Amino acid sequence: THSLTHSLTHSSSTEQTVMSSTSTASTSPRPVVAVIDFGGQYAHLIVNRVRRLGVYAELFHTSVTAAELAAHHVVGIILSGGGGSVSGDEKMRDAHGLVGQVLSLQLPTLGICFGMQALASALGGRVCSMVCKEYGPTELHLLSCGAAGVAGVAGDQMPAHCVVGRLASENRDASHFSVYMSHGDSVAELPPDFVATASTEMCPVASFCHQSKHIFGVQFHPEVTHTEHGNEILKNFLSYCEASEWSMKTYLDELSTQIKHQVGDRSVFMLVSGGVDSTVAFALLDKILGADKVYGLLVDTGLMRMNETDLVKKSLDAIEFDNLHVEDASALFLERLHEVYEPEAKRKIIGDLFLEVKKNVSERMHLEDANWLLGQGTIYPDTIESGGTAHSSTIKTHHNRVDAITEMIRQGRVVEPLKELYKDEVRELGVLLGLPKALIIRHPFPGPGLGIRLLCAEKASLPDDMDQTLKDTLSVLPKSLNHITGRVVPVQSVGVQGDDRTYRHSLCLYTSSLKDLLVGEKSEIFWNTIPRFANASPEINRVVLCVSHEEPPAEFTFKPSYVTKERANLLRQVDQIVNQQMATFDLYEKIWQFPVAMAPFGLEGGECVILRPVASKEAMTAAPYRLPIAFLQETVQQLLKLDQIDMVVYDLTSKPPGTIEWE
C-alpha cells in the first residue's frame, strides 16, 4: 500500500519505460479506452456505453500488465464492478497488484463499484461491509467540499476536474439525482489526498477523486441507462482521454472480415426463433456469406406464444428468407420437462434439446457436421448472465450457453455474430441491414419461450422467520403509506444483487386505493419507496403489487406444478390478452419488454398471473414500466374470466435486484 501511494507522487524508472512505450510500441494505431473486467454483470456494458459516446473501447482481463496495456495504445482505464469483496474475498485480492499496474501508466483512471473499492483499498483507504446494502435506484447528493464526517477527508474545496462534481457547475439541477447501486461493501476511509464528492443515505463516500490527478471512483453504475446523468459522468471522464471514434458501421465492417475468416469454406446452420436477435443474426450471415451458405432452423418447442410459429415463418418469407426449415418438436420438449421444477435444470434441458433437434434435422437432410458450423443469435447479456466472462457469476444459464454449446464454442464450431452487442445495438444493426421495422421493434422473447415463464415448484417456499421478514420489509413504508399491507408469496424467483445470482422470495403488497397509489398525490412517494424493500431484508429480491384484490388472504393456496401442455395453453391465452391490451392502449412501442409469467399459487387453488413490463435499452438494467390504471383494470377484468386464474400481480422491481424474467 505504501508503494502504491508513493507512486502517485514519484514515478519510478519502470513507469517511465512503460509510459514511453505507449507512443513507440503500440500494436494498434487506434487509441483505446481499456475496461478492466473484474467480473461485474455490467463490465461489457461499460464498453458499450463508451462506444455509444463515440469512443473506441475494449475489455481486458485482470491478468493484463502495464506493458500490454501500453502496447494496445491505451489512453484511459476504467475498472469495472465485480461480485467479489475487497474486504474478504481472497480470489479478488490480486486487485491490489492490478491497481499498481494501472496507476504506473499515469493515465486517467475511473473505478466503478468494486473498481472504486479496489482503488481505495490499494491506495491506503479502508473498505468495510455495509449493514444495510444498496440495490437499485438510490438518491445521490453531490458534495460541494470535503465531508467532515468521513475519516480521511480533507475540508478543501472539491477539485474542478472531478467527473461527478463537474455536474454541479454545469447543471444546477444535478446537485442530487437518482443512481443505480448494487453493492454490499463501501469505502469507509479515503486514501491520502482523495476527497469525497458525493454521498447517499447509506453510503457516505459514493464517489471520490484525487485532489490533483485524474483518478476517480464512483460506487454507483454510471453506465446503466437508469442512472441519471450517467452519460455526462462518463463523458467527463473521457474528456481527459485522448481517444478515438467508434460507430456501428465500423463494427459491421470489422465483423464481416472476422466472420468470413472464421467460416472459411464451411456453411452455417442457423437456429432461428423469430425474435430480434436471431433474425438480425440470420440476415447478417446471409448478407456476409450468401444465402447458399446459410440455412435456418426454426424449432416449434410447444412453448411458443399464440400462433408464433406461423407468424415467424410468414415474416421471414416476406423478406425472401426461403432457406428456413420449421421442425415441430413440441411433444419432445414437453416430455423432457415432465416433473422438472428447478429453473436452471429447465434451461439446460431446453438448451440441450435445441442441439438434439438440430442434430436430428442435420442427419435427415444429410448435412455433415464437419462442413457446418452452428449459428446463434446470442447477445452479450446472455453470456454475462450465464457466467460466460471472467469472474462473472451465473445468474441463469441461457439456452445458448449450455455445456454442449460451450464445448462447441471451445472447438470453434459456433458462429455468434452478435455476441459482443446489446439489444439496442442489435436493433441499430438491423436498420443498417434494411430489415422491416415490424421485425426490429419486436419485444424480446426468450429462446426457452414459455418454459421459463411457467414458474414451477414442487413445494411451497417461505422464509424461516416470516414475521421478521415482513417486519423488516414493511418498516420502510413512510407514514403516508401505512395503509399498505403485505405477504410473502410461496415461490422464489431469480435475482441479481451485488453482481451475484440470488434465488429469493417476493413481497406482495396490497392496497385499497390502487389509483391513488400509482398515479395520485402519493404515487411518487410510493415509487421511490419500492427499491428500499429488497434492501431491508436478505430474504427478498422482488416486490409485486396485487392488482386483482385489495386485501391479502390469510394464506395463499399452492399446488405443485411443472411445465405441461395445459399450463402452456393457459399462459398462451393470458399472454395473448396482455398483448391485445397493449395494442388497444398503444403501449407496444413504449414498453421495452412485457414478460407475462404464471405461478402456481393463488387464492382458491388457481394460478397467479405476473405482469412484468419494463423500460430498458440493453437488458442489463431495467425499471418497471408505469402502466396506466385503465390498462390494469381492463386487463385484470379479462384475465380473471379465465378458468384457473384467480390472482394478478404487477411486478414493480427494477433490475437489479430482480432479473427481467422470473426464472
Side-chain angles (χ1 to χ4, degrees):
T1 299
H2 171 75
S3 61
L4 288 180
T5 307
H6 182 74
S7 71
L8 292 181
T9 310
H10 303 284
S11 298
S12 67
S13 58
T14 302
E15 292 161 4
Q16 297 285 358
T17 302
V18 172
M19 283 300 294
S20 65
S21 70
T22 303
S23 57
T24 61
S26 175
T27 59
S28 170
R30 175 165 48 195
V32 57
V33 170
V35 177
I36 310 297
D37 180 13
F38 275 123
Q41 298 297 316
Y42 309 133
H44 232 280
L45 182 55
I46 301 170
V47 176
N48 171 273
R49 281 290 170 266
V50 172
R51 291 177 180 181
R52 280 293 187 180
L53 293 171
V55 172
Y56 184 68
E58 290 182 8
L59 197 68
F60 290 81
H61 189 269
T62 51
S63 61
V64 70
T65 65
E68 289 167 342
L69 290 172
H72 278 80
H73 205 133
V74 169
V75 294
I77 296 169
I78 300 177
L79 305 178
S80 85
S85 168
V86 172
S87 60
D89 193 343
E90 188 170 349
K91 72 178 183 180
M92 296 299 282
R93 286 178 185 165
D94 61 349
H96 283 211
L98 177 63
V99 169
Q101 293 278 330
V102 165
L103 295 180
S104 72
L105 294 171
Q106 297 186 330
L107 294 171
T109 300
L110 170 65
I112 295 176
C113 196
F114 177 87
M116 171 185 175
Q117 297 167 14
L119 280 172
S121 178
L123 292 171
R126 187 166 57 89
V127 177
C128 295
S129 180
M130 302 170 66
V131 175
C132 294
K133 319 301 184 186
E134 286 185 310
Y135 302 114
T138 307
E139 188 80 0
L140 183 84
H141 295 269
L142 301 190
L143 305 175
S144 60
C145 60
V150 181
V153 181
D156 300 328
Q157 200 69 19
M158 182 185 295
H161 67 264
C162 173
V163 296
V164 176
R166 275 170 58 179
L167 292 176
S169 60
E170 296 168 354
N171 184 347
R172 291 184 179 180
D173 297 327
S175 61
H176 59 90
F177 51 91
S178 180
V179 298
Y180 252 51
M181 290 285 198
S182 187
H183 68 115
D185 291 350
S186 65
V187 176
E189 185 174 339
L190 287 165
D193 299 321
F194 279 76
V195 294
T197 55
S199 66
T200 70
E201 180 182 1
M202 301 293 181
C203 184
V205 185
S207 70
F208 64 40
C209 70
H210 190 275
Q211 289 182 315
S212 60
K213 298 182 181 294
H214 296 155
I215 304 173
F216 316 97
V218 291
Q219 185 57 66
F220 55 92
H221 290 272
E223 71 275 20
V224 305
T225 55
H226 295 100
T227 285
E228 296 178 19
H229 303 295
N231 274 352
E232 294 171 66
I233 292 169
L234 291 175
K235 280 181 183 177
N236 287 344
F237 173 71
L238 294 174
S239 69
Y240 300 113
C241 308
E242 298 178 5
S244 183
E245 294 185 358
W246 167 258
S247 70
M248 184 52 66
K249 188 178 184 306
T250 302
Y251 177 80
L252 181 57
D253 293 341
E254 294 177 357
L255 186 61
S256 298
T257 302
Q258 293 172 11
I259 290 175
K260 287 177 181 178
H261 176 74
Q262 180 185 1
V263 175
D265 296 330
R266 295 172 292 184
S267 299
V268 179
F269 202 126
M270 179 74 201
L271 291 177
V272 180
S273 69
V276 178
D277 305 332
S278 64
T279 301
V280 171
F282 193 17
L284 180 61
L285 291 173
D286 207 74
K287 174 183 175 65
I288 294 172
L289 302 174
D292 58 328
K293 296 190 68 176
V294 183
Y295 192 82
L297 173 64
L298 172 61
V299 180
D300 185 343
T301 63
L303 303 170
M304 314 286 273
R305 289 175 289 195
M306 191 79 76
N307 304 318
E308 179 83 358
T309 302
D310 290 341
L311 175 64
V312 170
K313 183 70 167 66
K314 289 177 182 177
S315 297
L316 294 177
D317 284 345
I319 54 177
E320 300 180 350
F321 280 5
D322 53 5
N323 49 341
L324 178 71
H325 173 78
V326 178
E327 181 77 1
D328 184 358
S330 54
L332 179 62
F333 275 76
L334 291 171
E335 176 191 335
R336 296 285 179 85
L337 292 170
H338 181 74
E339 294 186 350
V340 177
Y341 301 98
E342 208 276 321
E344 276 291 281
K346 285 197 299 180
R347 284 179 170 274
K348 290 178 179 178
I349 287 171
I350 291 170
D352 287 337
L353 278 173
F354 274 117
L355 282 184
E356 184 177 326
V357 172
K358 178 257 180 187
K359 183 175 183 295
N360 293 339
V361 172
S362 298
E363 290 176 351
R364 195 166 68 239
M365 299 179 69
H366 306 291
L367 304 177
E368 298 180 19
D369 271 355
N371 298 324
W372 289 80
L373 299 177
L374 175 67
Q376 296 193 131
T378 309
I379 63 175
Y380 200 77
D382 299 345
T383 66
I384 293 177
E385 291 186 329
S386 298
T389 63
H391 305 304
S392 63
S393 298
T394 298
I395 306 305
K396 52 191 177 184
T397 300
H398 285 257
H399 68 285
N400 46 29
R401 277 296 178 272
V402 295
D403 291 344
I405 289 181
T406 300
E407 176 59 22
M408 291 177 66
I409 293 172
R410 191 188 66 79
Q411 296 171 2
R413 295 169 52 205
V414 178
V415 178
E416 296 180 314
L418 311 179
K419 68 179 184 295
E420 301 293 333
L421 300 182
Y422 295 83
K423 187 73 69 175
D424 55 337
E425 293 179 314
V426 171
R427 288 194 166 113
E428 183 181 348
L429 189 56
V431 172
L432 283 177
L433 294 171
L435 292 178
K437 179 182 177 182
L439 283 177
I440 294 172
I441 67 169
R442 290 195 76 195
H443 283 192
F445 187 65
L450 302 181
I452 59 168
R453 292 184 178 176
L454 285 166
L455 273 61
C456 302
E458 191 171 10
K459 58 184 180 180
S461 172
L462 291 168
D464 292 334
D465 193 338
M466 173 77 81
D467 291 340
Q468 187 62 48
T469 299
L470 282 174
K471 180 181 178 182
D472 289 343
T473 52
L474 296 179
S475 67
V476 306
L477 287 168
K479 290 182 179 180
S480 59
L481 299 177
N482 61 9
H483 65 282
I484 295 176
T485 56
R487 293 287 186 275
V488 178
V489 304
V491 297
Q492 293 180 297
S493 71
V494 176
V496 53
Q497 295 171 278
D499 288 311
D500 292 323
R501 178 189 193 269
T502 60
Y503 194 53
R504 294 175 180 168
H505 301 91
S506 299
L507 176 68
C508 184
L509 303 176
Y510 288 82
T511 178
S512 57
S513 53
L514 185 65
K515 184 175 181 180
D516 289 342
L517 194 65
L518 295 180
V519 296
E521 292 181 1
K522 299 177 182 177
S523 62
E524 287 307 312
I525 297 175
F526 175 66
W527 285 103
N528 291 334
T529 302
I530 291 167
R532 301 179 64 186
F533 289 111
N535 293 341
S537 171
E539 297 286 349
I540 300 296
N541 65 3
R542 200 176 292 267
V543 179
V544 300
L545 176 66
C546 185
V547 290
S548 58
H549 298 81
E550 295 181 354
E551 298 291 334
E555 186 176 353
F556 290 114
T557 60
F558 171 85
K559 57 182 179 182
S561 299
Y562 51 88
V563 175
T564 64
K565 184 176 181 179
E566 293 72 26
R567 290 189 80 208
N569 285 337
L570 179 57
L571 183 52
R572 258 187 283 274
Q573 293 180 65
V574 169
D575 183 79
Q576 182 76 347
I577 288 172
V578 174
N579 275 275
Q580 288 173 344
Q581 287 293 100
M582 270 197 290
T584 299
F585 283 82
D586 193 27
L587 292 174
Y588 193 86
E589 292 190 40
K590 299 173 183 176
I591 299 174
W592 189 79
Q593 186 180 11
F594 200 150
V596 181
M598 201 165 73
F601 70 89
L603 306 178
E604 300 175 355
E607 302 252 15
C608 176
V609 170
I610 301 164
L611 306 177
R612 176 58 165 151
V614 296
S616 185
K617 286 189 177 180
E618 72 299 293
M620 294 308 300
T621 62
Y625 184 87
R626 301 190 184 188
L627 293 169
I629 290 295
F631 173 93
L632 285 170
Q633 292 171 335
E634 291 187 26
T635 302
V636 168
Q637 187 177 27
Q638 291 189 41
L639 292 175
L640 291 180
K641 291 178 182 178
L642 297 175
D643 289 339
Q644 294 300 309
I645 300 298
D646 62 14
M647 183 176 172
V648 182
V649 299
Y650 174 16
D651 190 342
L652 307 178
T653 318
S654 61
K655 177 186 179 183
T659 50
I660 294 177
E661 301 284 352
W662 273 51
E663 290 190 344

